[in-house]
Amino acid sequence: MSPADDIAQCVIGIYRSLPKRGKPTSKGTGDQLKEEWTVLAGFVLELPTDPPQYRCVSLGTGLKCLNSKNMRRFGDSVHDSHAEIIARRGFLVYLMKQIKEQNPQILDIPATQNKKPYALKQGIKLHLYTSQSPCGDASIEWLQQQQQQQQQQSSNDTDIDGHRGKRQRTESEERNKAIRGHSEFCATGALRLKPGRGDSDPTLCMSCSDKMARWNVVGVQGALLSLILRPVYIDSVVVGDLYQHSAVDRALNLRIPELNSDASQKDGFRTNRCQVNGTSSMFEKSQMVLKAQGKEVITADAALCWYQGAKGSFALVAGRRQGSRASKDACQPKTMLTEICKRALFSRFVELVRELTLEELQLALQDKTYRQAKELAVQYQEAKKELLSSASFAGWSRCPEVYESFTLESEKK
């Protein structure tokens, strides 16, 4: 097998070992029987051994995200439950656990503490596997081809907008805004909002292609962890279904500008170019595999998250832990929160800073809202600002501040 296949199998193997809760199921009976399908994604560490050792440290499944009407201001729900995003949130928890445990196998830990003492251990590589090409720009060309086949292109070989040759500037580009879902198929390299289906309620979530491209500049560790951890970049992305190398490479690498300002390049921030590889390893609950078996398919309702060191995997429905309920005007009790919602991640980070006795940072975080705490990461924000001010990313839809203005003091015990 190729290294890409090894990485894919590493994630798929962990998925198969997990309990059924949160996994796709069969719906209906007889002629009405349908199989749920989903996307699987996972982060894999490649340890510098001979031969290389691959270790899946987090994974996620999922296809859903909350529409703008159902977003919550308490940070107690996961707004974006696509597989890549769930896996990345699990990876954040994993990183915080490694820092808490001072794990020298995973982290470089200096003898004396300073403002940013931790880094992923030199020689370790980080890979991201996804069973289907990320939604948004990475998969838009495949969808174009499917539409062209369905429309049976006319003999004069016009493109899907009825124009020959030169691509037309789209309405969304003229407005400098992200395109909604699968609209405007002709626009490659464009920012897109979830969901793909035009008959779904609109959301404020950027596509996975866009978020993964941003990780190539600001890292996957996020703003909070960048206060104590140097940027962590993905070395390679491994893609299963709908894979087209040129499309994925464009979406994740080629449309990203180089960071130019000195402020953006401090503390290890840079423009990363991840390798892009396909895999022949098949995920049994993917849409393509199930359809190839002649089965009627529907999208899975639940998302699943697991990370190394967790007590077990857990399922999410509508952005909350499966089985939990949420009042419209009140935060969920702390005991009911999923470990990967913003509130739980914020709480875990604040507790980590306290345990590390980083007194200056601990004082700075006191009484801060979640948004204010993220803005303490000055170099992270500078790198992000430079990216989002570039022509290719100027239409980025930022999460409204009202959804990140919660504090931990208001948390229910």
Side-chain angles (χ1 to χ4, degrees):
M1 291 196 301
S2 68
D5 293 335
D6 288 336
I7 291 165
Q9 284 299 320
C10 185
V11 178
I12 295 170
I14 292 292
Y15 172 84
R16 289 171 178 166
S17 72
L18 299 177
K20 292 182 178 180
R21 185 176 178 84
K23 291 183 175 182
T25 62
S26 302
K27 297 289 184 71
T29 57
D31 294 340
Q32 302 300 314
L33 180 65
K34 295 183 178 180
E35 296 290 334
E36 287 188 328
W37 73 276
T38 193
V39 172
L40 169 66
F43 281 90
V44 175
L45 296 182
E46 178 185 342
L47 304 182
T49 57
D50 187 16
Q53 180 184 347
Y54 297 103
R55 180 185 299 172
C56 177
V57 294
S58 72
L59 65 76
T61 69
L63 294 160
K64 307 284 187 178
C65 55
L66 297 183
N67 62 48
S68 54
K69 294 183 292 187
N70 290 326
M71 292 175 67
R72 291 174 58 79
R73 59 186 175 87
F74 308 106
D76 59 350
S77 294
V78 177
H79 294 160
D80 186 343
S81 292
H82 279 219
E84 297 92 331
I85 310 308
I86 295 292
R88 182 253 179 179
R89 284 174 173 260
F91 185 57
L92 296 183
V93 180
Y94 169 79
L95 286 174
M96 283 191 264
K97 287 180 70 68
Q98 302 314 299
I99 294 173
K100 180 179 179 179
E101 296 167 3
Q102 304 283 289
N103 187 347
Q105 293 183 327
I106 303 300
L107 301 171
D108 281 330
I109 308 172
T112 58
Q113 293 223 338
N114 53 46
K115 185 178 179 181
K116 197 170 294 187
Y118 300 99
L120 193 66
K121 194 171 185 66
Q122 190 170 3
I124 291 180
K125 294 182 179 180
L126 178 65
H127 307 284
L128 172 58
Y129 160 75
T130 179
S131 63
Q132 180 174 296
S133 191
C135 68
D137 192 50
S139 54
I140 201 67
E141 287 184 30
W142 188 89
L143 294 169
Q144 286 176 9
Q145 293 174 5
Q146 294 302 299
Q147 187 185 65
Q148 287 171 345
Q149 291 173 9
Q150 291 169 5
Q151 293 178 346
Q152 298 196 349
Q153 215 174 9
S154 59
S155 59
N156 64 357
D157 198 27
T158 60
D159 70 18
I160 59 177
D161 281 329
H163 300 282
R164 186 185 305 217
K166 187 176 180 181
R167 170 188 176 281
Q168 301 298 302
R169 188 167 177 81
T170 69
E171 181 183 351
S172 291
E173 288 177 300
E174 295 288 356
R175 298 194 308 269
N176 199 29
K177 291 183 178 179
I179 299 171
R180 183 172 173 208
H182 295 165
S183 301
E184 303 178 26
F185 271 127
C186 65
T188 56
L191 298 176
R192 293 181 180 273
L193 291 167
K194 299 169 181 173
R197 287 174 47 183
D199 58 351
S200 300
D201 290 329
T203 79
L204 300 177
C205 297
M206 301 303 298
S207 73
C208 288
S209 292
D210 299 331
K211 290 185 176 182
M212 290 167 66
R214 190 174 77 169
W215 296 344
N216 263 341
V217 173
V218 298
V220 297
Q221 78 294 325
L224 290 180
L225 264 178
S226 71
L227 289 165
I228 61 173
L229 178 70
R230 291 179 67 81
V232 178
Y233 292 106
I234 296 171
D235 289 282
S236 81
V237 173
V238 176
V239 180
D241 299 341
L242 318 189
Y243 175 65
Q244 291 181 317
H245 183 273
S246 61
V248 180
D249 191 38
R250 179 195 62 243
L252 304 188
N253 292 318
L254 301 183
R255 60 178 176 155
I256 303 172
E258 291 288 343
L259 292 185
N260 294 317
S261 70
D262 292 338
S264 299
Q265 297 183 62
K266 289 181 179 178
D267 291 326
F269 287 100
R270 58 185 173 85
T271 300
N272 180 59
R273 308 292 182 186
C274 58
Q275 292 184 10
V276 174
N277 299 299
T279 177
S280 58
S281 295
M282 307 300 289
F283 172 51
E284 59 266 26
K285 293 298 182 180
S286 75
Q287 184 180 31
M288 290 188 70
V289 168
L290 292 173
K291 280 188 172 182
Q293 296 170 355
K295 296 178 180 178
E296 290 286 327
V297 297
I298 55 174
T299 56
D301 290 325
L304 178 71
C305 183
W306 171 90
Y307 60 86
Q308 189 178 72
K311 294 179 181 178
S313 58
F314 51 93
L316 299 88
V317 175
R320 301 187 298 274
R321 187 178 291 275
Q322 189 174 30
S324 68
R325 295 182 179 182
S327 169
K328 182 179 179 180
D329 299 315
C331 179
Q332 294 183 83
K334 185 175 181 179
T335 54
M336 295 299 293
L337 295 179
T338 175
E339 299 173 58
I340 58 172
C341 68
K342 289 178 178 178
R343 177 175 288 271
L345 291 172
F346 187 21
S347 179
R348 185 185 288 267
F349 178 73
V350 169
E351 179 62 20
L352 177 62
V353 169
R354 186 191 66 80
E355 292 180 356
L356 295 174
T357 62
L358 299 173
E359 295 178 357
E360 183 178 342
L361 180 54
Q362 188 177 352
L363 183 62
L365 289 167
Q366 191 172 341
D367 299 326
K368 292 290 193 295
T369 67
Y370 177 71
R371 173 69 66 88
Q372 290 170 340
K374 293 200 301 179
E375 289 175 347
L376 293 174
V378 176
Q379 275 70 48
Y380 176 97
Q381 297 297 345
E382 286 289 340
K384 176 181 171 182
K385 180 180 178 180
E386 185 170 339
L387 172 68
L388 300 190
S389 64
S390 67
S392 299
F393 288 83
W396 192 278
S397 177
R398 190 179 186 189
C399 180
E401 189 169 358
V402 65
Y403 300 119
E404 296 190 334
S405 294
F406 60 89
T407 64
L408 297 178
E409 282 65 31
S410 61
E411 193 172 86
K412 286 187 176 181
K413 304 297 182 183

